[in-house]
Amino acid sequence: MLQFFEKNPDASLHFDCIEQDQNAVNYAQELCKNFLPNITFHVKNALRFQSTTKYDLIWSAGLFDYFDDKVFVHLLKKLGSMLEGGGEIVIGNFSTMNPSKSYMEVFEWHLHHRSPNTLKYLAKSAGFTNITIGKEPEGVNLFLHIV
Ligand SMILES: C[S@@+](CC[C@H](N)C(=O)[O-])C[C@H]1O[C@@H](n2cnc3c(N)ncnc32)[C@H](O)[C@@H]1O
């Protein structure tokens, strides 16, 4: 968001952000202090978040890989109910190709690593059909795109 608003300071977009950790929200608010009229922070469990707003873009990074497949599909369906027609959902998830997985687990950072096929399967299970998989340049983090 910060990078977006720095490049597009006159954009008339509004973001709703959901994060359960007040300290993380405080940090984000400080980073984005010049753009706060365009951002609403909700200190909330994402699983309990519900809005009547229909969003053009729903973006989640660093969250769904904490969830098992059942919770993944449940939240994805719920997010779909908050998506504007023609809108897009983007879900980040660590790839099974993550070379640091074992190292992370030494420090008790246990995540559900997923392959492109698993992400597609879970998106289909949530009722979606227009599904593509992207990744960042190193291929460690995958991005499930649903339109
Ligand atoms: C790996 S960090 C990702 C942070 C950020 N989204 C990013 O991509 O840099 C995971 C964040 O998810 C938050 N989190 C975990 N479970 C959550 C939940 N059920 N609802 C809301 N936030 C959650 C944690 O507090 C933490 O700040």
Side-chain angles (χ1 to χ4, degrees):
M1 284 187 309
L2 177 59
Q3 289 170 354
F4 173 81
F5 279 123
E6 282 175 344
K7 281 189 194 156
N8 307 278
D10 299 323
S12 60
L13 293 181
H14 191 91
F15 289 87
D16 279 328
C17 297
I18 296 90
E19 162 62 57
Q20 67 184 9
D21 181 346
Q22 181 69 61
N23 289 328
V25 169
N26 293 348
Y27 180 63
Q29 280 174 326
E30 176 59 27
L31 282 181
C32 297
K33 61 186 171 200
N34 295 332
F35 307 106
L36 291 182
N38 296 75
I39 306 170
T40 303
F41 289 94
H42 304 263
V43 181
K44 207 166 176 64
N45 183 338
L47 294 166
R48 300 214 177 94
F49 180 78
Q50 185 68 59
S51 172
T52 51
T53 302
K54 297 280 186 186
Y55 296 98
D56 295 308
L57 175 65
I58 298 178
W59 183 288
S60 171
L63 180 65
F64 273 70
D65 28 26
Y66 286 104
F67 300 145
D68 66 20
D69 289 355
K70 192 174 167 198
V71 177
F72 186 114
V73 170
H74 167 77
L75 184 57
L76 192 53
K77 274 187 194 166
K78 193 170 167 185
L79 294 181
S81 73
M82 294 183 249
L83 189 67
E84 188 61 89
E88 182 168 359
I89 299 178
V90 184
I91 305 289
N93 201 115
F94 264 100
S95 162
T96 47
M97 304 302 282
N98 175 15
S100 304
K101 180 172 183 287
S102 303
Y103 182 70
M104 287 160 61
E105 288 174 354
V106 168
F107 296 99
E108 301 295 332
W109 193 9
H110 296 279
L111 295 175
H112 293 270
H113 290 69
R114 294 185 168 101
S115 68
N117 278 343
T118 300
L119 289 173
K120 277 186 201 161
Y121 170 77
L122 294 174
K124 281 183 192 161
S125 303
F128 298 102
T129 51
N130 191 343
I131 304 161
T132 52
I133 305 292
K135 58 185 177 184
E136 41 73 34
E138 291 177 347
V140 174
N141 282 287
L142 301 177
F143 290 93
L144 165 65
H145 292 256
I146 297 169
V147 177

